Amino acid sequence: MTQLSEMIAKAQNIVFFGGAGVSTASGIPDFRSAHGLYSGAQGRSYEEMLSHGYFMRHNDAFWAFYKNVMLYPDAKPNAAHLALARLEKQGKLKAVLTQNIDGLHQLAGSQNVLELHGTVHRNFCMQCGWQTDLAGILAQDGAPVCPVCGGRIKPDVVLYGEMLDEDVTDRALTAIAQCDLLIVGGTSLVVHPAAGFITYRRPTTPLVLINRDETPYDDRAQLVIHEDIAKVLDEAIPL
């Protein structure tokens, strides 16, 4: 913890890259865990049920799974989100790169958040482009339909089989390439292409990994902390 605090104190251009572990303290399980609790999966993998093909072929089943597993409208930012927002206000944290789709970084006060996999808070009609927020989705039972044209509604999240947004990806890679400290937390670093983003940092840029379990990149990091990320960031980034 002392070493992490010292690294943060020295840095002036920090980038944080986080995954599902950042939000678990807010009561949002990673969807691998949540999938195991979902009774309607019927042997299907979460990759299948969150794929573009499944969304197109089995729209009702997709939305049943999505609403039960992916949506937590009452979740609040935890100590990790709040600590990162503090670090941004101090002028040190230049960007938050997140694989999460819950919007909790913004709710905590972070301004420069790059959502690699999109967000549950934006939804659009595939036919006419009409848009709605999360409340609009939850207000409809089953698979939502567009009130304007009756078209199919799609959440603005990156499903399996879809490409990441090119603009968001470019901005994320640029942020990593320019930072002087890269902190990665709450992610197993196994979901690609996002997991490979950390290889874009400069060779001289220190890498900090904070995750309960080991990752494939632990041996490349200057500092590895196998602890709860909310506890670690709250202690390392004082008020």
Side-chain angles (χ1 to χ4, degrees), residues 4 30 38:
L4 175 59
D30 66 84
Y38 178 65

Side-chain angles (χ1 to χ4, degrees), residues 1 4 16 19-28 77-81 83-84 183-187 208-214 224-237:
M1 291 300 300
L4 175 59
F16 177 81
V22 177
S23 292
T24 52
S26 296
I28 302 178
N78 62 55
H81 301 106
L84 292 168
I183 302 175
V184 179
T187 173
V208 175
L209 292 179
I210 308 168
N211 198 52
R212 284 189 178 277
D213 303 314
E214 294 182 3
V224 178
I225 303 176
H226 291 307
E227 299 286 350
D228 177 74
I229 188 168
K231 177 179 180 293
V232 171
L233 292 182
D234 189 47
E235 292 183 14
I237 304 170

Side-chain angles (χ1 to χ4, degrees), residues 157-180:
V157 299
V158 179
L159 302 177
Y160 284 93
E162 295 180 339
M163 301 290 290
L164 299 184
D165 181 271
E166 186 174 343
D167 177 63
V168 174
T169 298
D170 288 345
R171 290 166 60 196
L173 294 179
T174 298
I176 290 175
Q178 294 176 348
C179 73
D180 59 8

